[in-house]
Amino acid sequence: MSAPKPAAPSTPPPPPTTAAAPPAGPRRLTPSSDPVHVGDLDPGRQIHRRLFQYEPDSLYPTPRFAKYSRTAHWIVLPSVLFYCLFFVNFGDHEHVFSPPRRWMDRQRAKFWSLSPAELSLAQQNSARPDADASQPAPSSDTPK
């Protein structure tokens, strides 16, 4: 047989709250229907509770993430600017990026074309038939 359980300590029932008659004017909305507690009268405690009690640890970025984020900004933003400046199609009409694009086209044409001296040298070499073109020229570092 089991021993009888001790009686739970009796707690007095909460005191009844007396509800005052609502004011005759418009109703005011209250945050809760519970009676006002002493701690609720301290606004500093409420602010502290709302701002700091439930703050997750991952709210702020870690220093490593912040460093990588700054590095990514220094890479991504100039890349997007370069792409928009030189490659986005704004149509055939004249726009604000037309002068830089014409400058880039001139630079690209200078890079991929031959100078007059190189062009004359290339024409001389193409006009002169090489008899030894099938055999490679001997190099100075080959053993004899």
Side-chain angles (χ1 to χ4, degrees), residues 66-88:
K67 179 176 75 170
Y68 291 149
S69 177
R70 283 192 306 270
T71 304
H73 283 120
W74 280 100
I75 293 171
V76 170
L77 293 177
S79 302
V80 168
L81 177 67
F82 181 81
Y83 177 76
C84 289
L85 183 65
F86 292 117
F87 298 107
V88 172

Side-chain angles (χ1 to χ4, degrees), residues 60-143:
Y60 302 107
T62 61
R64 180 179 291 172
F65 176 78
K67 179 176 75 170
Y68 291 149
S69 177
R70 283 192 306 270
T71 304
H73 283 120
W74 280 100
I75 293 171
V76 170
L77 293 177
S79 302
V80 168
L81 177 67
F82 181 81
Y83 177 76
C84 289
L85 183 65
F86 292 117
F87 298 107
V88 172
N89 185 7
F90 291 107
D92 295 336
H93 61 280
E94 186 75 13
H95 51 81
V96 71
F97 298 131
S98 295
R101 288 183 182 191
R102 285 193 292 269
W103 174 83
M104 185 188 68
D105 290 339
R106 286 192 306 268
Q107 299 301 318
R108 191 182 308 155
K110 280 198 290 189
F111 180 78
W112 291 111
S113 64
L114 298 174
S115 67
E118 292 169 336
L119 189 59
S120 65
L121 183 62
Q123 288 173 350
Q124 288 174 0
N125 286 342
S126 66
R128 184 177 54 149
D130 248 353
D132 298 334
S134 60
Q135 298 177 354
S139 62
S140 60
D141 62 343
T142 55

Side-chain angles (χ1 to χ4, degrees), residues 27-89:
R27 286 182 14 167
R28 291 184 347 164
L29 298 177
T30 58
S32 67
S33 61
D34 293 338
V36 176
H37 297 289
V38 174
D40 291 341
L41 298 177
D42 181 18
R45 181 171 176 254
Q46 290 177 352
I47 292 171
H48 177 68
R49 181 174 45 98
R50 276 185 281 156
L51 293 179
F52 300 109
Q53 186 174 4
Y54 302 110
E55 179 177 325
D57 292 337
S58 63
L59 183 62
Y60 302 107
T62 61
R64 180 179 291 172
F65 176 78
K67 179 176 75 170
Y68 291 149
S69 177
R70 283 192 306 270
T71 304
H73 283 120
W74 280 100
I75 293 171
V76 170
L77 293 177
S79 302
V80 168
L81 177 67
F82 181 81
Y83 177 76
C84 289
L85 183 65
F86 292 117
F87 298 107
V88 172
N89 185 7

Side-chain angles (χ1 to χ4, degrees), residues 18-24:
T18 58

